[in-house]
Amino acid sequence: MRKWGRMSGYLTTHVLDTSRGCAAAGVRVVLYRIEPGPRLKLGETITNADGRSDAPLLAGADFAPGVYELEFHAGSYLGQVAETPRFLDMIPIRFGIADTGAHYHVPLLLSPYGYSTYRGS
């Protein structure tokens, strides 16, 4: 169990490369809170060798109900595709947090020509 597995509510992510069947290491992920006016940047991370961040993206007092967006900068990771411009570059996923006592996990399943997500556990 991860050391943060006993926290109250928190947010994590995971990027998997479905075209190669492995974790996507080195993907920059930026977290925003969506508010009236400009988005508010809360932080960023780079996925590790397991395709995850080393710590929750949002936790503790900062973990509040609202609308958030994860911005996955997949273009440099997908750089092995010779096509210019790349079909996929930056992938935004907008989602809501309602329960501050829950774990929200927002994975990205990625390939050069498509992606999907879901609420994980």
Side-chain angles (χ1 to χ4, degrees):
M1 177 182 285
R2 292 185 184 339
K3 61 185 169 196
W4 60 81
R6 295 176 194 213
M7 298 174 99
S8 58
Y10 60 103
L11 171 66
T12 57
T13 192
H14 190 189
V15 184
L16 297 170
D17 183 334
T18 58
S19 66
R20 296 181 3 190
C22 64
V27 176
R28 180 175 170 234
V29 182
V30 183
L31 174 65
Y32 296 93
R33 182 173 170 92
I34 306 303
E35 299 179 336
R39 300 178 299 175
L40 175 63
K41 182 178 175 182
L42 299 178
E44 66 180 85
T45 190
I46 304 291
T47 58
N48 61 23
D50 194 33
R52 300 176 186 271
S53 59
D54 290 327
L57 300 169
L58 194 62
D62 295 328
F63 192 75
V67 178
Y68 295 85
E69 184 172 281
L70 285 172
E71 192 177 77
F72 295 87
H73 292 257
S76 59
Y77 175 80
L78 296 170
Q80 71 271 14
V81 177
E83 182 178 271
T84 304
R86 293 179 191 100
F87 181 69
L88 293 174
D89 186 25
M90 191 277 297
I91 301 168
I93 298 175
R94 192 167 286 188
F95 59 96
I97 291 176
D99 181 357
T100 59
H103 173 201
Y104 284 75
H105 183 68
V106 182
L108 177 69
L109 307 177
L110 176 64
S111 75
Y113 299 101
Y115 65 91
S116 66
T117 190
Y118 56 93
R119 181 169 176 198
S121 58

